[in-house]
Amino acid sequence: MGLGSLEGGFQWPGQRLVVVTDREIQGRQRRRRRGGVHGTAGATGRQGARIASYQDLQVGDYVVHATHGIGRYLGVRSETILGVTRDYLVIQYEGSDRLKIPTEQVDQIQKYIGAEGHEPRLNRLGGGEWAKVKSRVKESIREMAAELLRLAALRETLPGTAFPPDTPWQREFEDAFPYEETPDQLTAIAEIKADMEKARPMDRLLLGDVGYGKTEVALRAAFKAATAGKQVAILVPTTILAQQHYATCKSRMEGFPINLAVLNRFKSPKEQAEIIRGLADGTIDVVIGTHRLLSDDVKFKDLGLLIVDEEQRFGVAHKERIKQLRANVDVLTLSATPIPRTLHMAMVGLRDMSIITTPPEDRYPVETFVAEYDDALVQDAIGRELSRGGQVFYVHNRIQTLDDVAARLHRLVPEARIAVAHGQMSEDRLEKIVLDFMDGEYDVLVATTIIENGIDMPQVNTIIVEDADHLGLSQLYQLRGRVGRSNRLAYAYFLYRRDKVLTEASEKRLRAIKDFTELGSGFKIAMRDLEIRGAGNILGPEQHGFIVSVGFDLYCQLLEEAVRELKGEPAPEPEIQPNIELQVDAFISDQYVPDARQKIDAYKRIIAIRSMADVEDVADELVDRFGSLPDPVKNLLDIARLRVHCNRLGITSIAQMRDRVTVKFLPSAARDVPFDRLALLNRRPEFRGRIETPRTRGGTSFTVKVGGLDARSLLRTLLLLLEQLHAEVAQTAAR
């Protein structure tokens, strides 16, 4: 007996049985992902990197401490104090001032992001200067927050379309999706539909890596709008992407009464005129197009939803026209690496944001190389891809010399069939070359960055980019996203001219594209782009100055606080930060994790632990990446477990003084602790009279005698005791 799927139906005359598949009934087939429920990775699946911190600290980086101000990060140092070894982050301030921050407080510092080329002045430890700067910025931010709230309130009053709930057609359309949705896709779809069903216009950013399923989410929104009688415009930056989206829409919406059209320069003047008439009289429901859709002669009878794919690819004039279009319609913007302004607006709540971070099943990160140009390297890269039956993109972003590059590649790899493509070709010729390449008639496509957006060619798994230092970080990331779209390992080569001295910004871009190779790096790339280019004149010159003075992260934090205060919302309850001071070695040695950035990342993961399951996840990951846990790392994880218990029980500190450990509670939490039960625990052999309970009623602490226990035994004893105490508190509450 087994569970599986059938390609088609069959007859079994002997049993008088006919089996009919859903494809034969509905004309569509739904393929299920292998692995867990709702697309979660199974035993062999790969879970992509979640959006974690993009702030990978390197020695020499500027950082911001909320209390002490701007300093320079000098690295992680191990120090032994009173026989106990711990790791500390060392921050240099003005003069010879240095601050040592315990690694458990790593979340108190943020990487400084200001303006490109701007080096902030270091603050002096203990001076009042930083407090004055923060006060000035807070006052200005408060004024701006009031204006933002006024604009937000105005937006809430704008008339929009309240789309009806899902119909049976919607469910049938979604059931025909040939893959199992990832959890992130389902969440994004639910958020978008909820926005569409409200009476105010939607303005949502859908952020997801290349190939992570943003298109399907957008198609479901488009279908919902079209079946409710509204027109949908899908705006894309290139003609090739328009053709590809059109093919996808046509395939997905086939069999439903929705009239589709594509408007771009591949269409003849006569065809364009017919489509424009159809938009004006309402006979076209969904149109996919390039900036041609933004022309003055294009009018919609009843536009209800505008979907903008990769907004950063449109020019200033186009964006102004998009603003006019979006006044009273729902807007969904799709992006893998949004421009800093868009990302900032989403981060501070001016735009709603949905994020897709779960990668497709069996997707591998792209192997990324940054190097000087070398004929032998190019020859080897192309030859290796051809030997496994694949194809290659070769990007050279100067039309005048594309043919020379193709000739050079032909000399290097004579057996390769090479085609050339660029945006100044006639529409028919460009379309034919791209389609022939997709059909496998060429091995190498030498092209400009016209291939940057959206072309989905799973058989192309090597990309070589010449003069990569001339391109922006988001462009480099988009280009790399053209490969690795199948379950085959892909390669990206970003090359610069031999012996060329790179600018600082170019060097940072190339280092970032090499650093962020794991699945799900789009958000990190966007944030690093923000760092390299600077926060920019996002909210006017005055605010730009304030961003420079306190750093982008703290600026956003202060803005969120100001908005909350003006709305009259209570500040969130501060999380208990229990102080745990035990005389045990608890650190990650250089021998265990040699890379400083990986070590910081591991500490951040440990600090972020909120449950026992989180501890096991982090422990499993450390073992998987670095090997068996040394005792100091085991101690570190046990201290994380103690913190989980502290948060459950309302414990503020666990402090060791010689052979005694004092456990202190919040006064409110102490009332719920059955201290009398501790006396009973004292009789158990594992504690052997180690517990000293309060001698007076209303006590808020107790003491544990730990004489004779080594570090591992001490931690085990405390963990067992708090576990028992948690059970006692739960039983008392149940009575």
Side-chain angles (χ1 to χ4, degrees):
M1 199 66 180
L3 183 65
S5 60
L6 295 172
E7 290 295 317
F10 62 89
Q11 296 182 35
W12 190 351
Q15 297 294 320
R16 302 180 67 183
L17 175 68
V18 176
V19 175
V20 183
T21 66
D22 59 350
R23 181 178 188 176
E24 291 164 321
I25 295 171
Q26 299 177 356
R28 302 177 181 84
Q29 182 182 18
R30 181 175 177 82
R31 292 197 299 276
R32 294 283 173 183
R33 280 175 170 264
R34 296 186 305 277
V37 181
H38 298 309
T40 53
T44 60
R46 281 178 169 76
Q47 184 67 26
R50 288 273 165 187
I51 289 181
S53 175
Y54 61 90
Q55 308 170 38
D56 298 300
L57 283 178
Q58 298 190 55
V59 172
D61 284 345
Y62 291 102
V63 293
V64 182
H65 190 291
T67 305
H68 302 291
I70 298 171
R72 184 184 278 110
Y73 172 63
L74 299 183
V76 179
R77 310 276 165 83
S78 294
E79 293 207 7
T80 303
I81 300 171
L82 297 175
V84 177
T85 304
R86 294 284 177 88
D87 275 348
Y88 297 86
L89 283 76
V90 183
I91 312 296
Q92 177 191 336
Y93 284 87
E94 189 182 13
S96 58
D97 291 352
R98 292 193 176 187
L99 179 68
K100 293 175 184 174
I101 302 173
T103 48
E104 60 265 25
Q105 296 174 20
V106 66
D107 54 345
Q108 291 188 12
I109 63 169
Q110 306 157 339
K111 188 169 180 176
Y112 173 85
I113 299 174
E116 185 176 356
H118 171 79
E119 290 202 3
R121 194 169 65 80
L122 302 184
N123 292 117
R124 179 177 291 281
L125 271 182
E129 173 198 24
W130 174 246
K132 288 177 185 173
V133 169
K134 271 180 69 177
S135 177
R136 254 195 337 267
V137 173
K138 271 185 175 178
E139 188 56 39
S140 171
I141 282 178
R142 189 177 174 84
E143 293 172 12
M144 190 189 68
E147 177 62 14
L148 291 179
L149 285 174
R150 188 188 67 78
L151 292 173
L154 182 64
R155 182 167 162 256
E156 291 286 340
T157 65
L158 287 174
T161 301
F163 288 95
D166 285 358
T167 62
W169 269 359
Q170 183 83 28
R171 286 188 286 277
E172 186 182 339
F173 174 77
E174 294 182 3
D175 284 343
F177 182 50
Y179 304 98
E180 185 73 8
E181 302 87 345
T182 65
D184 293 343
Q185 277 182 307
L186 292 171
T187 300
I189 290 161
E191 289 170 345
I192 290 164
K193 286 179 180 177
D195 276 0
M196 291 178 70
E197 290 171 15
K198 292 175 184 171
R200 67 164 175 81
M202 171 175 73
D203 186 10
R204 184 169 285 273
L205 170 66
L206 177 59
L207 182 60
D209 239 321
V210 285
Y212 273 36
K214 299 189 297 293
T215 302
E216 173 61 22
V217 175
L219 285 182
R220 295 188 182 191
F223 189 89
K224 184 178 181 73
T227 52
K230 291 286 185 177
Q231 290 175 299
V232 180
I234 303 175
L235 186 61
V236 298
T238 66
T239 51
I240 295 173
L241 185 54
Q243 289 295 125
Q244 194 160 71
H245 273 338
Y246 175 66
T248 304
C249 280
K250 193 172 179 184
S251 167
R252 286 287 285 113
M253 296 185 182
E254 190 178 12
F256 294 99
I258 294 175
N259 192 11
L260 298 168
V262 60
L263 183 62
N264 57 32
R265 59 193 179 92
F266 285 160
K267 295 292 182 183
S268 67
K270 182 181 177 184
E271 288 172 323
Q272 290 189 31
E274 286 177 7
I275 291 167
I276 290 169
R277 273 198 303 275
L279 294 174
D281 64 23
T283 53
I284 291 177
D285 303 303
V286 178
V287 62
I288 302 103
T290 58
H291 57 272
R292 177 70 180 87
L293 275 178
L294 303 175
S295 304
D296 291 337
D297 61 337
V298 176
K299 310 288 182 190
F300 293 87
K301 182 179 182 183
D302 191 8
L303 182 64
L305 175 64
L306 172 64
I307 298 171
V308 185
D309 197 356
E310 298 298 346
E311 187 180 30
Q312 73 271 18
R313 296 295 311 282
F314 295 97
V316 175
H318 295 146
K319 285 176 184 169
E320 286 304 312
R321 176 68 177 135
I322 291 171
K323 276 184 189 174
Q324 294 169 15
L325 270 180
R326 72 196 305 164
N328 295 98
V329 302
D330 284 11
V331 180
L332 178 62
T333 305
L334 317 181
S335 185
T337 53
I339 56 174
R341 179 185 175 86
T342 304
L343 185 61
H344 174 270
M345 290 174 72
M347 288 175 70
V348 299
L350 288 176
R351 296 180 76 172
D352 297 315
M353 179 164 64
S354 296
I355 303 173
I356 300 177
T357 59
T358 313
E361 187 182 17
D362 292 336
R363 180 71 61 87
Y364 296 89
V366 177
E367 292 282 333
T368 303
F369 303 91
V370 174
E372 289 185 338
Y373 177 87
D374 181 75
D375 279 347
L377 174 66
V378 170
Q379 185 180 42
D380 181 63
I382 295 175
R384 189 189 316 112
E385 186 58 56
L386 267 53
S387 69
R388 61 176 184 169
Q391 293 174 292
V392 178
F393 284 136
Y394 194 98
V395 178
H396 175 86
N397 207 28
R398 283 186 300 281
I399 292 174
Q400 299 88 332
T401 48
L402 269 179
D403 290 329
D404 297 338
V405 170
R408 177 181 6 116
L409 295 181
H410 185 68
R411 289 193 298 274
L412 290 174
V413 194
E415 69 274 19
R417 298 166 298 164
I418 299 173
V420 173
H422 58 78
Q424 290 183 12
M425 287 179 163
S426 69
E427 294 87 345
D428 292 343
R429 187 177 171 210
L430 177 60
E431 184 178 18
K432 185 176 189 314
I433 287 170
V434 172
L435 292 175
D436 287 348
F437 182 67
M438 290 176 74
D439 289 340
E441 293 187 22
Y442 298 106
D443 302 308
V444 181
L445 183 64
V446 180
T448 59
T449 53
I450 190 172
I451 66 158
E452 178 186 339
N453 278 90
I455 302 176
D456 192 6
M457 300 186 190
Q459 73 278 16
V460 186
N461 281 298
T462 292
I463 185 168
I464 302 168
V465 182
E466 264 192 25
D467 293 327
D469 53 305
H470 292 175
L471 301 176
L473 183 53
S474 293
Q475 270 188 307
L476 295 174
Y477 188 70
Q478 290 285 0
L479 287 168
R480 186 172 66 190
R482 297 308 103 214
V483 298
R485 301 173 77 93
S486 68
N487 60 358
R488 176 177 283 195
L489 188 62
Y491 301 89
Y493 298 85
F494 295 105
L495 309 180
Y496 54 92
R497 292 186 187 181
R498 183 177 293 279
D499 300 324
K500 181 174 182 181
V501 178
L502 300 177
T503 66
E504 185 184 357
S506 296
E507 198 173 335
K508 282 183 177 179
R509 284 196 294 270
L510 292 174
R511 190 188 310 132
I513 199 70
K514 189 170 184 296
D515 286 348
F516 297 135
T517 57
E518 73 267 30
L519 296 171
S521 291
F523 180 83
K524 291 183 176 185
I525 288 284
M527 294 304 296
R528 181 58 62 86
D529 200 18
L530 174 62
E531 175 190 346
I532 292 169
R533 291 163 54 179
N537 193 357
I538 294 172
L539 296 163
E542 184 189 5
Q543 295 306 320
H544 172 64
F546 286 127
I547 290 171
V548 167
S549 62
V550 298
F552 181 75
D553 277 321
L554 184 56
Y555 176 89
C556 286
Q557 184 183 319
L558 294 173
L559 177 56
E560 286 170 17
E561 287 174 6
V563 169
R564 193 170 54 240
E565 285 175 17
L566 289 167
K567 283 182 173 178
E569 295 174 355
E573 285 289 326
E575 193 177 60
I576 297 174
Q577 296 292 346
N579 182 36
I580 299 180
E581 295 180 11
L582 297 173
Q583 292 166 19
V584 299
D585 291 342
F587 65 99
I588 302 172
S589 68
D590 291 342
Q591 289 74 30
Y592 187 60
V593 181
D595 183 85
R597 284 184 294 170
Q598 289 180 337
K599 186 186 286 192
I600 288 289
D601 186 55
Y603 276 122
K604 286 180 177 176
R605 291 287 309 277
I606 291 168
I607 293 305
I609 284 171
R610 294 294 177 270
S611 69
M612 293 302 177
D614 290 345
V615 180
E616 301 315 314
D617 286 345
V618 173
D620 288 347
E621 184 179 331
L622 288 172
V623 170
D624 190 43
R625 294 176 67 186
F626 306 110
S628 299
L629 302 174
D631 278 351
V633 179
K634 289 179 182 175
N635 294 345
L636 200 58
L637 291 172
D638 276 346
I639 289 171
R641 291 183 176 95
L642 285 175
R643 280 204 172 82
V644 173
H645 282 307
C646 289
N647 284 317
R648 287 173 173 174
L649 293 164
I651 294 171
T652 58
S653 74
I654 298 177
Q656 182 176 0
M657 183 65 71
R658 297 187 184 88
D659 61 352
R660 276 174 160 69
V661 172
T662 301
V663 180
K664 289 187 178 178
F665 295 82
L666 286 169
S668 56
R671 290 194 293 269
D672 300 324
V673 178
F675 286 107
D676 56 324
R677 304 287 293 175
L678 286 172
L680 297 176
L681 291 176
N682 226 350
R683 299 173 190 168
R684 292 175 54 162
E686 57 265 42
F687 301 121
R688 295 197 185 97
R690 292 186 179 276
I691 306 165
E692 294 181 350
T693 53
R695 293 178 182 173
T696 59
R697 289 180 63 83
T700 59
S701 66
F702 68 89
T703 304
V704 185
K705 291 182 282 187
V706 294
L709 297 179
D710 61 21
R712 298 294 304 136
S713 300
L714 182 151
L715 287 166
R716 277 196 296 269
T717 299
L718 291 175
L719 282 169
L720 183 58
L721 178 56
L722 294 190
E723 196 174 300
Q724 293 291 333
L725 188 57
H726 182 256
E728 295 288 348
V729 170
Q731 282 182 15
T732 303
R735 293 192 198 109

